């Protein structure tokens, strides 16, 4: 018998809409604990200034802490890739329920294909079952995604569907891609609740996918040197999911 999946990670009481956080004017000391994303220490314009040398050292220590924080979050997000077969199923269902979808169906399906091929080629898929896959070397995969998500994306007019998706999946797997799949899977699960029996239609799966999709959006905004198409689609899907959970604050 298939072992029932339980959701042990703490989930906040609600999904808060993610706003992009700008650089803070507050200087965080390297010894002040876990740094806040996008909080950069002040640096003197003169590299020969003695005070600047001290702050450069502090900035180095800060960046190590920030990278460790990003990597820890990335590893937690990546661990949910084990549900890729379920996410794949939910995304196919998504387009049967959503009559006006912002993200074109061919792009989403090609992204999933690209991700599957890329994970298998790199040896990250250890075992695949009906509802789950076993991820091998998850920490290394998180590092790869962190590296890809921090690089620029060069989109040219001559890109076809496969080439476009290769910029965000496969060997270039990025965090905004993963967040988009998670968030759309959560929205789809809300639509299919009550239709048939599926252990992944429960509230735990929906909240977990929504929460880590939300976290993916925040990380993508922190890491990427530019706003990508996938980030824009993820932000839209995140907003739609938040509205479904919390209602429209303007009404």
């Amino acid at each position: 018998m298939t072992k029932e999946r339980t959701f042990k990670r703490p989930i906040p009481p609600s999904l808060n809409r993610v706003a992009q956080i700008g650089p803070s004017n507050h200087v965080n000391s390297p010894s002040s604990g876990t740094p806040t994303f996008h909080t950069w220490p002040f640096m003197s314009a003169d590299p020969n200034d003695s005070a600047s040398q001290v702050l450069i050292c502090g900035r180095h220590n800060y960046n190590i802490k920030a990278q460790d924080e990003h990597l820890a979050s990335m590893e937690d997000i990546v661990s949910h890739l084990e549900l890729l077969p379920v996410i794949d199923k939910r995304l196919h269902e998504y387009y049967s329920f959503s009559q006006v979808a912002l993200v074109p169906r061919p792009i989403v399906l090609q992204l999933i294909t690209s991700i599957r091929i890329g994970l298998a080629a790199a040896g990250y898929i250890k075992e695949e079952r009906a509802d789950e896959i076993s991820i091998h070397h998850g920490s290394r995969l998180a590092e790869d995604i962190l590296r890809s998500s921090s690089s620029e994306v060069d989109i040219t007019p001559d890109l076809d569907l496969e080439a476009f998706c290769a910029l965000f999946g496969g060997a270039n797997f990025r965090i905004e891609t993963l967040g988009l799949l998670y968030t759309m899977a959560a929205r789809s699960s809300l639509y299919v609740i009550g239709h048939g029996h599926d252990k992944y239609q429960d509230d735990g799966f929906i909240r977990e996918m929504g929460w880590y999709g939300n976290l993916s959006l925040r990380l993508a905004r922190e890491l990427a040197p530019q706003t990508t198409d996938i980030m824009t689609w993820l932000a839209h899907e995140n907003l739609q999911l938040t509205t479904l959970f919390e209602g429209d604050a303007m009404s």
Side-chain angles (χ1 to χ4, degrees):
M1 295 181 65
T2 302
K3 184 178 179 180
E4 290 292 327
R5 174 179 172 83
T6 58
F7 298 91
K8 299 179 180 179
R9 293 181 179 84
I11 304 298
S14 64
L15 293 174
N16 295 321
R17 189 172 303 170
V18 178
Q20 185 166 0
I21 304 173
S24 171
N25 293 325
H26 177 67
V27 179
N28 272 13
S29 166
S31 61
S32 62
T34 303
T36 303
F37 291 164
H38 257 335
T39 307
W40 297 101
F42 173 80
M43 291 184 63
S44 169
D46 181 5
N48 297 318
D49 181 59
S50 59
S52 174
Q53 296 297 325
V54 174
L55 288 172
I56 288 174
C57 179
R59 183 186 181 191
H60 174 70
N61 293 335
Y62 169 84
N63 286 340
I64 291 176
K65 289 184 177 181
Q67 182 175 354
D68 289 344
E69 186 181 50
H70 286 149
L71 185 57
S73 297
M74 191 74 73
E75 289 177 353
D76 206 14
I77 295 170
V78 166
S79 68
H80 290 73
L81 261 176
E82 65 184 13
L83 292 176
L84 186 59
V86 179
I87 294 170
D88 189 352
K89 178 182 177 182
R90 288 289 173 267
L91 292 178
H92 278 83
E93 294 170 343
Y94 177 91
Y95 287 98
S96 66
F97 287 99
S98 181
Q99 297 181 353
V100 183
L102 177 67
V103 189
R105 177 189 178 110
I107 289 181
V108 171
L109 300 186
Q110 178 60 37
L111 283 173
I112 295 177
T113 300
S114 176
I115 290 169
R116 280 183 177 273
I117 294 175
L119 292 176
Y124 287 127
I125 296 181
K126 185 177 181 180
E127 180 184 0
E128 183 165 356
R129 296 179 293 275
D131 292 333
E132 293 185 6
I133 60 175
S134 179
I135 297 295
H136 195 48
H137 299 307
S139 296
R140 191 176 71 188
L141 174 58
E143 291 177 357
D144 288 347
I145 296 177
L146 182 64
R147 189 179 305 108
S148 296
S149 303
S150 304
S151 63
E152 292 187 0
V153 177
D154 184 20
I155 298 178
T156 58
D158 59 338
L159 290 176
D160 59 13
L161 173 63
E162 186 174 345
F164 174 81
C165 292
L167 297 175
F168 299 94
N172 301 309
F173 196 4
R174 298 174 67 94
I175 188 60
E176 58 261 40
T177 306
L178 195 49
L180 179 65
L181 301 184
Y182 284 176
T183 305
M184 292 180 69
R187 287 192 65 194
S188 177
S189 296
L190 285 173
Y191 295 142
V192 301
I193 285 180
H195 296 272
H197 175 70
D198 190 329
K199 65 179 180 179
Y200 294 107
Q201 288 181 5
D202 62 10
D203 181 66
F205 174 79
I206 296 171
R207 291 173 66 85
E208 190 160 279
M209 287 291 100
W211 169 248
Y212 286 104
N214 200 357
L215 180 57
S216 297
L217 176 58
R218 182 171 67 176
L219 277 179
R221 286 171 166 171
E222 294 294 335
L223 296 170
Q226 69 199 112
T227 299
T228 65
D229 295 272
I230 304 293
M231 284 174 62
T232 301
W233 293 334
L234 170 55
H236 170 81
E237 292 293 328
N238 178 266
L239 176 60
Q240 297 301 312
L241 181 62
T242 302
T243 301
L244 288 172
F245 270 112
E246 301 181 353
D248 190 345
M250 299 301 292
S251 61

